[in-house]
Amino acid sequence: MKIQKLYITAAIAAAAVVSACNGGAPKAPSNLPVYLDDTKPIEERIEDALSRMTTDEKVAMVHAQSKFSSPGVPSLGIPAIWCTDGPHGIRTEVLYDEWDQAGWTNDSCTAYPALTALAATWNLELSELYGKSIGEEARYRNKTVLLGPGVNIQRSPYNGRSFEYMGEDPYLSSKMVVPYIKGVQSNGVAACVKHFALNNQEINRFTTNVNVDDRTLYEIYLPAFKAAVQEGGAWTLMSAYNLYKEQFCGENQYLLDDILRGEWGFDGVVVSDWGGIHSPDGVIPHGVDIEYGSWTNGLTMGKTNAYDQYHMADAYKERLADGRADMETLDARVRRILRLEFRTNMNRERPFGQFTSDAHYAAARKIGSEGIVLLKNEGSILPINASSVKKVLVVGENAIKMMTVGGGSSSLKVKKEVSPLDGIKAKLAGKAEVSYERGYIGTTYSSYNGVTAKVDLSESRTPEKCLSDAVAAAKDADYVIYVGGLNKEEGQDCEGADRTEFNLPYGQDAVISALAKVSKNLVVINISGNPYAMPWVNEVPAIIQDWYLGSEAGNSLADVLFGDVTPSGKLPFTFPVAYEDCPIRTEAQYPGILSNATGGATDVPTRILQEQYSEGIFVGYRWYEKESIKPMFPFGYGLSYTTFEYGQAKISKTFMTASQTLTVTVPVTNTGKVAGAEIVQLYIADAEASVVRPAKELKGFDKVSLKPGETKTVSFTIDASALSFFDADKHDWVAEPGKFTAIVAASSEDIKSCVDFELK
């Protein structure tokens, strides 16, 4: 029987090749078993395949067989599922059972900008381009699941993993994640949205129980996941490490069964984060579908048959045999995994993908340049006129340091990475002298995770000497371009640990102030995935918020610095003046209070921390407006090399019912001398609610490109969902009748016009 099935599979493959060579879509041979006949509905194929499987084959599918794969069904010709880390590029191949690199020479990928940069574009088309491009690279490498994107909310600027997420606002994250998913999955590769849910810090991430009220959960922390499932059609999700309601998120009945599979109707696969499962009795009743990373050498060091020791392996079979587990739950898991197989590996119409192509580098460069945010441009010293400068000094370690490596699981091995210094040099080649000074000493090693940088970061000078050399060189430069900020070292923007300070590390504040004293044309460029303190903000004329921009980082930056691209990015999170301005004020809020009890959690390795999300829905700009705290730079803020004038917003009607919609329109004109793009934002305010609501909430945005003198009308549609809050008692969204205000703005602070309307 097995030989017959293998012949059938081979026949399908041969037919597909012949058909493809003839220029047509692959055709299924006649008289196939239902599960192999892709002319049949997927649900029929699932049931047929399930009926042919043994219990051992079913159990094998729900846990890993290697570091990044889980088995298919060899007897049926259903291949293994192979995952790859993202979400910014396809991770290098690692050894079968270890994190160490496998030593391949053809797995150097394209690095795309970090998701904070993508969010800063506020551009849905670029989000789809990003997803399509990275999905093509995953498909080329024959991956089934891309482990990304991440959509956890930036609750605190100390979160070491914020650079992998899309900012502080649930609406912005919800809108940006959907096209990314569709782009990835157009390649027959599953996007795996993570980390579900409430994974908003890295410190104590395995032992923190989040206490959050239902309204906050539904309004702030779940919307992006819900949009990923119901609008993006995500095929996989990844559970988080932390606990909620005293259950690990990978074993969480409320999150996985009640909300995800129940309320939202998710029919895809939930995979565990690596090592995120702790007990068979916790995970088997209502946990993930596939368990990954629970010690790749077994739960006991040196144990043989390592993967049989997983919580969902032999332990599952034992519980099936003695009645502690039921076949119905196992079959439901296997159905979801088979559905993933038929959407990906068993889909013969999947495109072949491409890898490190010119188109991918162009996409990375465009996304990077559109995500850069111009924060300050006093005296319009930017853009730099390349033909009028003779000497440019670049200062800062981040101008030469590799930024595609480090940061944890998103670390990459790239085919190329253009540094800021190289990008600036290329732009000024043959036009001006470009020199470099380090300025400060951060990282002094040049190798990470098997990748060795081309630039030697060792340093024989003292920090004081580095600073004095930079200041001396700055005195006769036409422009000084400082490139600093954070990096992906532990304690900065890095998985596994949170930041340790709000100021820039390595004494950079003093370096910037010293340079400002000797240069009137100082441009400060900060690379980070988080906000930081700017004690020198009034000393420097120009500030750019740069991000981890991937392979084309230096070219993207140079495009903006020298005016080939007019900056159009806007901040996806608030920059407070000081950390003390943030909504996180107590130890109970962050990092949590140590508890002697383990609550309902099973097999907790140590005592857990109880963390209170007592700020509730007041996260990000919602908090600063509630407390009347003026930030350094507000959410949605960003300057341009041109200027925009907003007309008066108009509304299609002054009242609506819950079943109706209304339209808000506003004309926007480019009043400057160069083409540019403006991100027009719509906020809704509800002043008469029966519950406390934010001063306003983002409910729409549109990025509009305008030539000099050109006017376009931006239109927003408002429906009841834009007016609703989550009523925890009713466990439903409620839009209360009353008066509302539609606010058209250029940022959360820069209000252009308002119109009132009423919900009848």
Side-chain angles (χ1 to χ4, degrees), residues 272-285:
S272 73
D273 205 342
W274 270 233
I277 301 304
H278 298 264
S279 160
D281 294 321
V283 68
I284 288 172

Side-chain angles (χ1 to χ4, degrees), residues 154-174:
Q154 190 205 62
R155 176 176 178 249
S156 163
Y158 274 15
N159 184 0
R161 214 165 179 180
S162 287
F163 72 98
E164 289 191 46
Y165 302 143
M166 297 187 180
E168 71 184 28
D169 185 72
Y171 183 86
L172 176 62
S173 297
S174 297

Side-chain angles (χ1 to χ4, degrees), residues 36-55:
L36 286 174
D37 187 350
D38 58 6
T39 65
K40 301 289 186 182
I42 281 182
E43 298 308 311
E44 288 185 24
R45 299 174 70 193
I46 290 170
E47 294 306 317
D48 184 57
L50 186 67
S51 70
R52 299 169 186 268
M53 294 174 62
T54 67
T55 298

